[in-house]
Amino acid sequence: MGQETTRRSSAIPNEGHGAVSSVEKALRLLSTFSLASPQWALSDLAREHGIPKSTAHNLLKTLQAFDLVRQDPEDRVYRLGPRALEMGFLYARSTELLGQARPHLRRLAERSRETVKLGILSDSEVLIVAAVESTHQLHTRGDIGTRWPLHSTGLGKAILSALPLAEAEALARRRGLAALTKQTATSWPKLRAELAATRERGYAMDREENEAGVRCVAAAFVDPLRGAVAAVSVSGPSVRLSDAELAILGQEAVAVARAIRPHPHWEEL
Amino acid sequence: MGQETTRRSSAIPNEGHGAVSSVEKALRLLSTFSLASPQWALSDLAREHGIPKSTAHNLLKTLQAFDLVRQDPEDRVYRLGPRALEMGFLYARSTELLGQARPHLRRLAERSRETVKLGILSDSEVLIVAAVESTHQLHTRGDIGTRWPLHSTGLGKAILSALPLAEAEALARRRGLAALTKQTATSWPKLRAELAATRERGYAMDREENEAGVRCVAAAFVDPLRGAVAAVSVSGPSVRLSDAELAILGQEAVAVARAIRPHPHWEEL
DNA sequence: CAGGCTGTTCCAAGGGACTGAACACGGATT
DNA sequence: AATCCGTGTTCAGTCCCTTGGAACAGCCTG
């Protein structure tokens, strides 16, 4: 069989080759809208991306025609449009992963009484695609659609540990190993050792490496058919999550990850 | 094979003079993914849109670089990517309308024990952006992200009735007045009369005009700041929704619509 | 009222997207 | 096996279409 990596490493989006530049610009404009700054004036967008106003204007009008962005008739700022929501739910409903995972996540959340998340690798980060929040007064958030670093989170380290080492290094390096707390692994050797331990253990641990006072365990799995790599995590405040507790939850996360792994359609073969 | 490829896939909105055609093509490709056909082969996409394979290939690779579509490494079909979900939740969270509406919708659903939906005008159709489903065994669906015709639904008629007549006619005509049941208004004069009655009454009624056995009332409102026109509806099986019941729920829908109307940021001034 | 902002329109010019053909692969059919 | 579909991918030349400067029109602020 072909031993070569002729196949493009699917995890890393290949920017640059064969990309249609006007489309790229348009999508980059679209990606500018974030939770922190959900509305943008034309001039600011143009400045932000270093393109002329008129070019940005043309692109935005095209996006607007599809209702992906809308312009406030009053103060003329642009915001995301409802079509974005439609596409999001389309993705959520057409992806078997989510439907299969939900009951498992819910059960794990009930047993652990902590926040349970499902994240997937997207664009060198972890993207939360499903979550069940803890009912405790003090708890970690489970916001769908948020992104997190690979190197400092349980989900991220679990995902990295499931990939070939070279690929993991490339991914981790791409965003840099920023120190988010005193415990964050900020060098690749340190992180590589972490990943080795994770692989050994079967699940990843995050002891306040991403946020002070927050601990987490996570287990990865690979959607065999779609090639996506994902992970489930349980996270909560350190005061409730002792080492012993983490060990138990880690095993449970592994079990859930195994259970979620979508059975291929051809399993009956 | 289908000759319907020649048919104008009129899901494409406003042409516009400033439209960037390559971006337009890319977005059209993106819009092809639907609940009914969530995965597409490159060749099929190219055929569907009447563009060369290589063009479609370039566009898809660009979309893929942004994780808006993903290609299955195994059978090479394209599907929506997780970035779609991210953008969807971004829209949902950055839109004050939804956050403000939710408690009202929930309360109305509890009182009526029927399915309550919030829809907005998008691309000459009603797009469901929030919903609370009835707990009854027999109930209507409340799927976020789905689209419905303007002329045959309570939400649609409520929205049309809130617009200037000329605009309403243009919108209704754009998609055509298809007969979905025996009761559907299939001519503009008929629909116009309906809209007049709706305006008089304050809320729209749908008596099995969209689906046999389903009745609905809906009240529109206009987001003054963002200029979006939206509506809330209560829908359920005809057996539970007598004329008397509809009249009561209609008034409640009107009250909720009034309550939802987002107060401008400057209310504290 | 000038001066700085917006967002929008226009048009000419140059570069990049389109596209058809050729390639490689895999599964059917012969 | 050989042949024929079908697929997805690559490549390079030609022309169209994007680009982006300059000009216009409003709206605030100075």
Side-chain angles (χ1 to χ4, degrees):
Chain A
M1 306 301 278
Q3 79 292 11
E4 257 311 300
T5 62
T6 56
R7 191 159 297 165
R8 171 154 297 129
S9 75
S10 56
I12 307 177
N14 179 13
E15 359 187 320
H17 255 74
V20 180
S21 72
S22 58
V23 176
E24 199 176 309
K25 263 173 248 163
L27 297 181
R28 204 170 313 175
L29 286 178
L30 207 53
S31 306
T32 316
F33 299 90
S34 70
L35 215 50
S37 38
Q39 58 182 49
W40 286 82
L42 171 61
S43 303
D44 294 331
L45 277 174
R47 243 194 311 275
E48 174 83 11
H49 294 278
I51 58 180
K53 279 193 304 180
S54 51
T55 302
H57 182 255
N58 285 337
L59 295 172
L60 284 169
K61 279 292 167 271
T62 311
L63 291 171
Q64 192 176 20
F66 281 81
D67 230 357
L68 274 170
V69 304
R70 276 192 175 179
Q71 187 179 28
D72 193 307
E74 181 151 334
D75 55 10
R76 331 221 93 177
V77 298
Y78 290 89
R79 296 193 189 82
L80 277 185
R83 192 105 195 203
L85 182 130
E86 182 186 2
M87 277 175 31
F89 276 89
L90 214 50
Y91 170 81
R93 223 169 300 128
S94 64
T95 226
E96 318 111 54
L97 175 63
L98 294 185
Q100 294 181 348
R102 194 141 305 140
H104 291 103
L105 301 182
R106 218 181 291 275
R107 213 170 315 138
L108 181 52
E110 272 173 26
R111 271 220 300 275
S112 65
R113 300 210 49 204
E114 299 293 350
T115 297
V116 172
K117 300 198 200 86
L118 174 64
I120 70 175
L121 175 61
S122 168
D123 201 8
S124 308
E125 292 178 313
V126 182
L127 176 67
I128 307 300
V129 294
V132 183
E133 278 197 359
S134 162
T135 54
H136 272 118
Q137 165 75 356
L138 173 66
H139 69 282
T140 54
R141 306 213 58 156
D143 283 343
I144 299 178
T146 51
R147 292 179 167 276
W148 301 93
L150 285 172
H151 73 290
S152 63
T153 61
L155 285 171
K157 292 198 292 182
I159 286 175
L160 287 178
S161 76
L163 294 172
L165 211 55
E167 205 168 327
E169 182 175 1
L171 281 170
R173 284 230 152 95
R174 168 166 289 193
R175 301 276 167 177
L177 305 174
L180 298 173
T181 72
K182 297 232 170 71
Q183 331 296 334
T184 311
T186 55
S187 75
W188 168 244
K190 190 108 189 291
L191 182 56
R192 186 178 48 200
E194 264 293 309
L195 298 184
T198 298
R199 224 169 286 135
E200 186 101 6
R201 196 191 295 128
Y203 58 91
M205 307 183 61
D206 158 18
R207 306 190 196 186
E208 315 203 1
E209 294 161 41
N210 188 68
E211 184 176 330
V214 173
R215 289 179 141 200
C216 169
V217 287
F221 61 98
V222 175
D223 181 336
L225 202 63
R226 314 242 331 235
V229 45
V232 268
S233 75
V234 185
S235 66
S238 300
V239 288
R240 284 203 297 271
L241 298 179
S242 65
D243 284 2
E245 189 72 21
L246 279 188
I248 296 172
L249 292 177
Q251 298 298 346
E252 300 214 19
V254 170
V256 167
R258 287 229 177 83
I260 291 178
R261 174 168 20 207
H263 18 260
H265 307 305
W266 32 263
E267 73 170 339
E268 45 263 8
L269 296 191
Chain B
M1 307 315 170
Q3 281 87 339
E4 52 192 355
T5 56
T6 59
R7 196 199 6 193
R8 185 137 291 78
S9 67
S10 63
I12 303 87
N14 229 342
E15 65 329 311
H17 26 289
V20 180
S21 71
S22 58
V23 175
E24 196 176 311
K25 263 174 243 159
L27 297 182
R28 198 145 24 175
L29 286 178
L30 209 51
S31 306
T32 317
F33 298 90
S34 69
L35 217 50
S37 37
Q39 58 182 51
W40 286 82
L42 171 61
S43 303
D44 294 331
L45 276 174
R47 245 195 310 277
E48 175 80 12
H49 294 281
I51 58 180
K53 277 192 304 178
S54 45
T55 302
H57 182 254
N58 285 338
L59 296 171
L60 284 169
K61 278 292 166 274
T62 310
L63 291 171
Q64 192 177 20
F66 281 81
D67 230 356
L68 274 170
V69 303
R70 274 192 177 180
Q71 186 180 29
D72 193 309
E74 183 151 333
D75 55 12
R76 330 219 97 178
V77 298
Y78 290 89
R79 298 193 188 84
L80 277 184
R83 192 108 195 199
L85 181 129
E86 183 186 2
M87 280 175 31
F89 275 89
L90 214 48
Y91 169 81
R93 225 169 298 131
S94 64
T95 268
E96 317 109 61
L97 174 63
L98 294 186
Q100 294 181 346
R102 193 139 309 139
H104 291 103
L105 301 182
R106 220 182 289 275
R107 214 171 315 136
L108 181 52
E110 271 173 25
R111 273 221 299 276
S112 65
R113 299 210 53 203
E114 298 293 350
T115 297
V116 172
K117 300 197 199 85
L118 174 63
I120 71 176
L121 175 61
S122 168
D123 198 10
S124 307
E125 293 178 312
V126 181
L127 176 66
I128 307 300
V129 295
V132 183
E133 279 198 359
S134 162
T135 54
H136 272 120
Q137 165 76 358
L138 174 67
H139 69 281
T140 54
R141 308 213 57 158
D143 283 343
I144 299 178
T146 52
R147 291 178 169 275
W148 300 93
L150 286 173
H151 72 290
S152 62
T153 61
L155 285 172
K157 291 197 292 181
I159 286 174
L160 287 179
S161 76
L163 294 171
L165 211 57
E167 202 170 331
E169 180 173 2
L171 280 170
R173 285 230 151 95
R174 170 168 287 191
R175 300 278 166 174
L177 305 174
L180 297 174
T181 72
K182 298 232 171 70
Q183 331 296 333
T184 313
T186 55
S187 75
W188 169 244
K190 189 108 188 294
L191 183 55
R192 186 179 47 201
E194 265 292 309
L195 298 184
T198 297
R199 225 170 285 135
E200 186 100 9
R201 197 191 295 129
Y203 57 90
M205 308 184 60
D206 158 19
R207 306 189 197 190
E208 315 202 0
E209 294 161 41
N210 187 66
E211 183 177 330
V214 174
R215 289 178 142 198
C216 170
V217 287
F221 62 98
V222 175
D223 181 337
L225 202 63
R226 315 243 330 237
V229 45
V232 267
S233 74
V234 185
S235 65
S238 301
V239 287
R240 284 203 297 270
L241 298 180
S242 65
D243 284 1
E245 189 72 22
L246 278 188
I248 297 173
L249 292 177
Q251 298 298 346
E252 300 215 17
V254 170
V256 167
R258 287 227 177 85
I260 290 179
R261 175 166 22 204
H263 19 261
H265 308 304
W266 31 264
E267 73 169 339
E268 46 260 13
L269 295 190

